[in-house]
């Protein structure tokens, strides 16, 4: 589906399935990624290594990779037309930008092409969407590959 096409609401017989999918996405986030989100918000993962800072543990790296992969899944669903940016923004907007504006996440994304491509496109469209709706975009620790102009 072309990302510029308008999202179609599910027909009545598929409405329950659509709502169930959204509920499962929210549940997945809460069960598997909420702790990582809190770590990102508390800036536990925000500083670069060096000068008294410690590198991420293997466990922390895995948690961040799973967190990032969740947003790659959302991008796949969006491209398939299963969910639109308005819904994603209401459900996961701050959670997405908290990750995208984090240096530890930048390192992981830049090391793995499977994350970089999908997330660059999603970031660009999501940022434009939020700007069109006059919604705040958290801007701490902007990665090098994001142009904020």
């Amino acid at each position: 589906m072309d990302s510029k096409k308008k999202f179609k609401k599910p027909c009545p017989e598929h409405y329950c399935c659509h709502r169930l999918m959204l509920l499962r996405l929210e549940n997945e986030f809460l069960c598997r990624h909420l702790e990582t989100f809190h770590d990102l918000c508390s800036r536990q993962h925000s500083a670069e290594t060096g000068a008294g800072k410690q590198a991420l543990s293997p466990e922390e790296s895995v948690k961040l990779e799973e967190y990032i992969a969740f947003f790659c899944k959302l991008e796949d669903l969006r491209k398939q037309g299963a969910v639109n940016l308005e819904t994603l923004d209401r459900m996961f907007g701050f959670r997405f930008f908290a990750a995208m504006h984090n240096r530890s996440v930048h390192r992981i994304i830049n090391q793995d092409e499977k994350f970089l491509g999908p997330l660059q496109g999603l970031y660009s469209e999501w940022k434009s969407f939020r700007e069109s709706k006059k919604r705040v975009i958290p801007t701490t620790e902007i990665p090098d590959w994001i142009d904020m102009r």
Side-chain angles (χ1 to χ4, degrees):
M1 178 177 146
D2 182 0
S3 61
K4 303 291 184 209
K5 287 185 181 176
K6 195 160 180 120
F7 175 77
K8 287 198 224 174
K9 289 190 178 189
C11 58
E13 58 267 15
H14 294 108
Y15 186 75
C16 287
C17 293
H18 185 257
R19 301 303 282 173
L20 182 60
M21 177 195 68
L22 296 176
L23 182 62
R24 286 184 177 164
L25 287 170
E26 179 67 17
N27 189 55
E28 177 184 346
F29 187 91
L30 293 174
C31 292
R32 297 185 68 208
H33 307 297
L34 189 61
E35 181 182 340
T36 305
F37 171 68
H38 287 294
D39 290 346
L40 288 169
C41 290
S42 69
R43 297 190 169 276
Q44 178 174 328
H45 297 303
S46 66
E48 290 284 359
T49 59
K53 310 289 190 226
Q54 293 186 5
L56 293 175
S57 71
E59 180 182 288
E60 289 172 319
S61 290
V62 167
K63 284 182 178 182
L64 282 176
E65 286 178 19
E66 290 173 351
Y67 189 91
I68 297 164
F70 177 79
F71 290 102
C72 290
K73 178 197 300 188
L74 294 182
E75 172 64 348
D76 287 342
L77 290 170
R78 187 185 71 83
K79 282 184 173 179
Q80 294 170 15
V83 66
N84 63 11
L85 270 177
E86 178 66 44
T87 301
L88 289 180
D89 194 52
R90 281 184 281 133
M91 293 177 71
F92 303 109
F94 187 80
R95 299 166 186 179
F96 174 73
F97 287 102
M100 297 304 290
H101 296 161
N102 181 280
R103 289 185 183 144
S104 295
V105 172
H106 303 175
R107 283 193 301 274
I108 292 170
I109 291 172
N110 289 328
Q111 291 172 1
D112 197 330
E113 191 63 35
K114 75 180 177 202
F115 295 135
L116 186 58
L119 292 177
Q120 279 181 320
L122 179 58
Y123 182 92
S124 176
E125 289 192 40
W126 207 329
K127 178 180 174 272
S128 295
F129 173 81
R130 286 185 73 96
E131 288 171 342
S132 74
K133 301 289 184 179
K134 307 226 183 313
R135 294 179 185 162
V136 175
I137 300 169
T139 57
T140 59
E141 301 181 24
I142 304 297
D144 296 336
W145 52 265
I146 293 176
D147 181 7
M148 288 303 293
R149 289 178 272 156

Short mmCIF file of all heavy atoms in Angstrom, two decimals, residues 1 6 9 23 28 30 39 44 59 72 85 88 96-97 130:
data_model
loop_
_atom_site.label_atom_id
_atom_site.label_comp_id
_atom_site.label_asym_id
_atom_site.label_seq_id
_atom_site.Cartn_x
_atom_site.Cartn_y
_atom_site.Cartn_z
N MET A 1 0.84 -1.18 0.00
CA MET A 1 0.00 0.00 0.00
C MET A 1 0.88 1.24 0.00
O MET A 1 1.83 1.34 0.76
CB MET A 1 -0.90 -0.02 1.23
CG MET A 1 -1.77 1.19 1.33
SD MET A 1 -2.85 1.06 2.75
CE MET A 1 -2.92 2.74 3.21
N LYS A 6 -4.95 7.13 1.76
CA LYS A 6 -5.69 7.34 2.99
C LYS A 6 -6.03 5.98 3.62
O LYS A 6 -6.37 5.04 2.93
CB LYS A 6 -6.96 8.11 2.68
CG LYS A 6 -7.61 8.68 3.90
CD LYS A 6 -8.52 9.80 3.51
CE LYS A 6 -9.14 10.35 4.75
NZ LYS A 6 -8.86 11.70 4.98
N LYS A 9 -10.98 2.74 7.20
CA LYS A 9 -11.44 2.10 8.42
C LYS A 9 -11.91 0.69 8.07
O LYS A 9 -12.44 0.45 7.00
CB LYS A 9 -12.59 2.89 9.04
CG LYS A 9 -12.14 4.19 9.62
CD LYS A 9 -13.22 4.84 10.42
CE LYS A 9 -12.66 6.11 11.01
NZ LYS A 9 -13.51 6.72 11.96
N LEU A 23 -5.31 -3.88 20.54
CA LEU A 23 -5.23 -4.28 21.94
C LEU A 23 -4.02 -5.18 22.17
O LEU A 23 -3.28 -5.02 23.15
CB LEU A 23 -6.51 -4.99 22.37
CG LEU A 23 -6.60 -5.43 23.82
CD1 LEU A 23 -6.53 -4.23 24.76
CD2 LEU A 23 -7.87 -6.22 24.05
N GLU A 28 1.39 -6.17 24.10
CA GLU A 28 2.78 -6.57 23.85
C GLU A 28 3.74 -5.51 24.36
O GLU A 28 4.75 -5.82 24.99
CB GLU A 28 3.02 -6.81 22.36
CG GLU A 28 4.46 -7.16 22.04
CD GLU A 28 4.75 -7.29 20.56
OE1 GLU A 28 3.81 -7.38 19.74
OE2 GLU A 28 5.94 -7.28 20.20
N LEU A 30 3.22 -3.25 26.71
CA LEU A 30 3.19 -3.18 28.17
C LEU A 30 3.90 -4.36 28.82
O LEU A 30 4.61 -4.20 29.81
CB LEU A 30 1.75 -3.09 28.67
CG LEU A 30 1.01 -1.80 28.32
CD1 LEU A 30 -0.45 -1.90 28.73
CD2 LEU A 30 1.68 -0.59 28.93
N ASP A 39 13.32 2.97 31.29
CA ASP A 39 14.77 3.20 31.30
C ASP A 39 15.14 4.32 30.33
O ASP A 39 15.98 5.17 30.65
CB ASP A 39 15.53 1.93 30.91
CG ASP A 39 15.46 0.86 31.99
OD1 ASP A 39 15.05 1.16 33.13
OD2 ASP A 39 15.80 -0.30 31.67
N GLN A 44 18.56 6.38 31.60
CA GLN A 44 19.53 5.36 31.97
C GLN A 44 20.40 4.99 30.78
O GLN A 44 21.58 4.70 30.93
CB GLN A 44 18.80 4.13 32.50
CG GLN A 44 19.73 2.98 32.88
CD GLN A 44 18.96 1.86 33.51
OE1 GLN A 44 17.97 2.06 34.19
NE2 GLN A 44 19.43 0.64 33.31
N GLU A 59 22.48 -7.77 28.08
CA GLU A 59 21.04 -7.85 28.36
C GLU A 59 20.33 -6.54 27.98
O GLU A 59 19.26 -6.54 27.39
CB GLU A 59 20.81 -8.16 29.84
CG GLU A 59 19.34 -8.27 30.21
CD GLU A 59 19.15 -8.54 31.69
OE1 GLU A 59 19.44 -9.68 32.12
OE2 GLU A 59 18.70 -7.62 32.40
N CYS A 72 9.67 -1.47 14.23
CA CYS A 72 9.77 -1.99 12.85
C CYS A 72 8.52 -2.78 12.50
O CYS A 72 8.01 -2.70 11.39
CB CYS A 72 11.02 -2.86 12.69
SG CYS A 72 12.57 -1.93 12.74
N LEU A 85 -1.11 6.28 10.87
CA LEU A 85 -0.26 7.08 11.76
C LEU A 85 -1.03 7.74 12.88
O LEU A 85 -0.50 7.91 13.97
CB LEU A 85 0.51 8.13 10.96
CG LEU A 85 1.85 7.70 10.41
CD1 LEU A 85 2.48 8.81 9.58
CD2 LEU A 85 2.81 7.26 11.49
N LEU A 88 -1.28 5.06 15.48
CA LEU A 88 0.05 4.81 16.04
C LEU A 88 0.50 5.96 16.92
O LEU A 88 1.09 5.75 17.98
CB LEU A 88 1.07 4.58 14.92
CG LEU A 88 0.96 3.27 14.15
CD1 LEU A 88 2.04 3.20 13.08
CD2 LEU A 88 1.05 2.08 15.08
N PHE A 96 7.82 6.08 20.73
CA PHE A 96 8.66 5.99 19.54
C PHE A 96 9.75 7.06 19.57
O PHE A 96 10.93 6.76 19.40
CB PHE A 96 7.79 6.15 18.28
CG PHE A 96 8.57 6.21 17.00
CD1 PHE A 96 9.17 5.07 16.48
CD2 PHE A 96 8.69 7.40 16.30
CE1 PHE A 96 9.89 5.13 15.28
CE2 PHE A 96 9.39 7.46 15.11
CZ PHE A 96 9.99 6.32 14.61
N PHE A 97 9.36 8.29 19.79
CA PHE A 97 10.33 9.39 19.76
C PHE A 97 11.31 9.31 20.94
O PHE A 97 12.46 9.73 20.82
CB PHE A 97 9.64 10.74 19.68
CG PHE A 97 9.04 10.99 18.33
CD1 PHE A 97 7.68 10.83 18.11
CD2 PHE A 97 9.85 11.34 17.26
CE1 PHE A 97 7.14 11.04 16.85
CE2 PHE A 97 9.31 11.54 16.00
CZ PHE A 97 7.95 11.39 15.79
N ARG A 130 3.19 14.58 12.86
CA ARG A 130 3.06 15.32 14.12
C ARG A 130 3.14 16.83 13.88
O ARG A 130 2.42 17.60 14.51
CB ARG A 130 4.11 14.88 15.12
CG ARG A 130 3.80 13.50 15.70
CD ARG A 130 4.77 13.11 16.77
NE ARG A 130 4.57 13.86 18.00
CZ ARG A 130 3.87 13.43 19.04
NH1 ARG A 130 3.31 12.26 19.01
NH2 ARG A 130 3.76 14.17 20.12
#
